[in-house]
Amino acid sequence: MNMIGRNDPCPCGSGKKYKNCHGGVAKEPAGDSYDRIRQLDGEITEKITTYIARQYGGEGMQRALDEYGSDDEAVRDPMTAQGDSFIRWISLSWRPDGVHTAAENFITSRRWTIGDDAVRLIEATLASCYSYYQVRSVEPGYGATMHDIFRKQDVFVRERSATSTMRPGLIMYARIVAMDGLHFFMGTGPCVITPQYLIRLVTLRSDLESAAHAADGAITTETLRENEDQMREEYFKIEDELLHPMRTLVNRDNEPYLLHTLTYSVSSADDAFQAMKGLQQDYTKESDEELLNGAVRNEDGTLAEITLDWIKDATTVQGVGENIVTASIKINGTVMTIEVNSEARAKRIQDEVRTRLGGKATLRNIDIATDEELAERPRSPESEKDREAREEEERILRASPEVQAKIKAMMDEHWKRWLDTSIPALRGLTPHQAVKDPAGRELIESLLLEIETRNTTQADPLLRVDVVRLRRELGLPL
């Protein structure tokens, strides 16, 4: 399965990438072979499925459906992606007698009807197995480098249409077949798996490694064939979770969404500001003067009204760090109103108020509104004029060298802290801890692929993450 990636150095020693050297020379013939193999693929799939229908009838097809294990009714329709995936399985994996595959029985009885090349393709497919592959890099319209998560090796796959939607980090449940110097898909799960499921697949891999009792702990093609039912069952579970996510809304801390509005009486606006300003300043490093720039003052110059945010780091399930507003704090005279979107955050902000203001603040009321109630509240749509004015103000503000320097400093500090932040996608380890373990390094690589992909869709250069710097800090290859 190991082969040279098209972006790897050419083994001839030229110093060029393989795709720009000897890999480029072989590109056109490879295209011819790929087209011929795909044509054979369509021909033999049709012949094998016709053979199965005649040989085993409706009862056999129902038995195959039961063994396949999918509850999705779309599996019964060959025109759907789910149906096509089932056809691939029943044609080249199903063992109607529990020993031989339907494809093997087909070759035994029908070899003379299909030709030697078709037989070779069937036999090459039977020698392969399903696994989980993570996309490493993509050449649209030509192919992709895929990492076999279970056998821990890379392979360049020739593929045209699917490469238009593939991106680094995504995971596919698929069978990759080798023939005539090419690797190509011969059956894929219709649902593309998002990177956060890598930790679950690594756990399954660890279980299979233990069960295999291999001297070097390696999972072989034979191991995967023996555990194909378990691998497919895991795919169906993931597919169901992706297609039917929980409908309960949650915030960035994965807490049930429940808007709380807390109203306090405070001794004065200035006392409240001095006590609560650290919730924003600790993250943004703004001075008092900067925070008070948009404040409203009384005639005597004392503070009348100001809004603050409680800003902190958040690490998503995928492990990509972001800064989030945990609470919005509005101080108006002797009234302080705080909005948070979960019960847990409401408790945390109450602790902060007690610690920072003590007897200078008294909780008067807590109003709780569910997301359903919020959806029913009338909204005041932003006018086109207001939107344009807001966007222009933001554009001018962000063009300021001082603002840009502050944003860059915040980003640098954020990602510096990220290196020592416990991340769910790393099994609770920090990036610095995870790189010390082979499986942890694999999870880190997946996170960095996800961050790099986000960079490509981030229009603001200031918000793009310096992945090279993160790799250097973690001692990973650049």
Side-chain angles (χ1 to χ4, degrees):
M1 178 72 76
N2 282 324
M3 67 178 297
I4 303 165
R6 285 178 47 75
N7 287 307
D8 291 340
C10 187
C12 74
S14 65
K16 299 179 181 179
K17 290 183 178 180
Y18 179 62
K19 67 181 180 183
N20 295 326
C21 193
H22 285 80
V25 174
K27 187 168 182 176
E28 290 310 315
D32 294 341
S33 298
Y34 177 76
D35 292 337
R36 179 172 54 83
I37 288 170
R38 279 305 177 206
Q39 182 178 352
L40 279 173
D41 170 28
E43 293 172 358
I44 64 171
T45 299
E46 181 179 357
K47 290 181 178 180
I48 295 177
T49 51
T50 300
Y51 165 79
I52 290 173
R54 291 175 178 173
Q55 187 73 14
Y56 303 103
E59 182 180 341
M61 288 292 289
Q62 184 58 54
R63 184 155 49 89
L65 279 166
D66 293 341
E67 291 180 24
Y68 188 58
S70 174
D71 295 327
D72 194 334
E73 281 299 314
V75 167
R76 296 177 180 272
D77 183 355
M79 300 304 293
T80 65
Q82 291 85 349
D84 180 71
S85 184
F86 170 67
I87 290 296
R88 295 283 184 179
W89 177 82
I90 192 175
S91 301
L92 296 158
S93 291
W94 183 46
R95 299 178 184 273
D97 58 7
V99 179
H100 301 99
T101 64
E104 288 173 316
N105 293 339
F106 170 75
I107 289 177
T108 300
S109 61
R110 301 286 194 277
R111 178 184 289 267
W112 56 273
T113 67
I114 58 174
D116 292 340
D117 282 347
V119 171
R120 286 197 307 116
L121 179 56
I122 295 172
E123 291 177 342
T125 304
L126 294 175
S128 67
C129 65
Y130 281 91
S131 187
Y132 288 86
Y133 296 88
Q134 187 169 38
V135 182
R136 289 298 197 216
S137 62
V138 181
E139 294 184 45
Y142 188 72
T145 298
M146 312 291 293
H147 176 69
D148 188 330
I149 295 169
F150 282 75
R151 286 174 288 186
K152 304 177 185 178
Q153 54 195 17
D154 290 356
V155 57
F156 184 81
V157 180
R158 281 285 283 113
E159 174 60 36
R160 287 201 181 119
S161 57
T163 54
S164 63
T165 57
M166 294 167 71
R167 64 175 176 81
L170 292 176
I171 299 169
M172 299 174 66
Y173 174 64
R175 173 163 50 196
I176 294 177
V177 175
M179 179 176 165
D180 293 346
L182 296 177
H183 291 77
F184 45 89
F185 293 119
M186 281 289 281
T188 62
C191 189
V192 176
I193 300 170
T194 47
Q196 65 262 35
Y197 282 94
L198 178 61
I199 187 171
R200 192 150 128 188
L201 297 174
V202 168
T203 300
L204 176 57
R205 181 183 69 194
S206 179
D207 292 342
L208 292 184
E209 286 172 340
S210 299
H213 301 296
D216 57 358
I219 291 179
T220 64
T221 300
E222 187 59 34
T223 303
L224 294 180
R225 274 202 293 264
E226 291 173 356
N227 292 275
E228 183 179 304
D229 289 349
Q230 184 179 356
M231 299 277 283
R232 189 172 64 255
E233 180 182 358
E234 188 66 26
Y235 167 76
F236 288 141
K237 290 178 182 177
I238 294 173
E239 180 186 58
D240 184 63
E241 291 173 20
L242 289 170
L243 296 178
H244 307 97
M246 292 178 62
R247 296 185 181 277
T248 303
L249 292 178
V250 295
N251 63 20
R252 294 288 185 87
D253 290 326
N254 206 34
E255 300 160 347
Y257 192 96
L258 199 61
L259 181 65
H260 287 62
T261 304
L262 296 82
T263 304
Y264 285 87
S265 294
V266 294
S267 54
S268 71
D270 190 66
D271 284 344
F273 169 73
Q274 293 298 330
M276 305 298 287
K277 65 181 181 179
L279 294 176
Q280 182 167 332
Q281 278 182 329
D282 288 348
Y283 189 88
T284 65
K285 309 304 180 186
E286 294 170 283
S287 65
D288 284 9
E289 183 180 351
E290 289 173 311
L291 286 180
L292 291 165
N293 187 47
V296 177
R297 293 189 176 276
N298 297 310
E299 291 183 1
D300 61 1
T302 58
L303 182 63
E305 183 178 336
I306 189 170
T307 298
L308 299 170
D309 291 324
W310 183 9
I311 303 176
K312 73 180 189 70
D313 280 345
T315 300
T316 64
V317 173
Q318 293 92 329
V320 180
E322 300 171 336
N323 64 295
I324 62 170
V325 175
T326 302
S328 177
I329 306 163
K330 184 175 182 179
I331 302 167
N332 189 347
T334 58
V335 178
M336 180 171 68
T337 306
I338 303 176
E339 287 190 350
V340 293
N341 60 14
S342 74
E343 182 178 3
R345 288 184 179 179
K347 291 178 179 178
R348 290 198 293 272
I349 194 62
Q350 288 179 68
D351 290 341
E352 290 290 340
V353 172
R354 278 192 294 269
T355 301
R356 294 168 181 270
L357 274 163
K360 295 182 179 181
T362 302
L363 181 61
R364 295 301 186 189
N365 183 60
I366 301 178
D367 179 59
I368 303 174
T370 64
D371 52 288
E372 289 86 358
E373 292 171 332
L374 286 174
E376 295 174 359
R377 292 182 181 179
R379 298 180 180 180
S380 300
E382 184 180 36
S383 69
E384 183 69 17
K385 182 178 180 180
D386 288 342
R387 182 187 64 79
E388 290 178 354
R390 174 179 55 78
E391 290 179 351
E392 178 64 13
E393 182 181 354
E394 291 176 354
R395 185 189 67 76
I396 294 173
L397 182 64
R398 295 183 77 83
S400 163
E402 292 80 8
V403 172
Q404 291 180 357
K406 189 175 289 292
I407 292 174
K408 183 179 185 307
M410 288 171 58
M411 286 286 289
D412 289 346
E413 180 63 24
H414 170 85
W415 288 102
K416 181 179 178 181
R417 289 196 299 267
W418 179 83
L419 294 167
D420 293 298
T421 299
S422 174
I423 295 176
L426 299 179
R427 298 182 287 193
L429 298 176
T430 70
H432 272 142
Q433 292 169 335
V435 292
K436 298 175 183 178
D437 170 71
R441 290 174 73 91
E442 185 176 0
L443 295 171
I444 281 283
E445 288 286 0
S446 179
L447 290 185
L448 295 179
L449 280 174
E450 180 70 6
I451 293 170
E452 286 178 331
T453 300
R454 289 193 180 197
N455 277 349
T456 64
T457 60
Q458 176 53 257
D460 189 342
L462 289 172
L463 299 181
R464 293 174 194 154
V465 184
D466 188 346
V467 177
V468 171
R469 181 178 177 181
L470 291 179
R471 285 185 168 279
R472 189 178 292 117
E473 292 286 343
L474 292 169
L476 294 170
L478 300 181

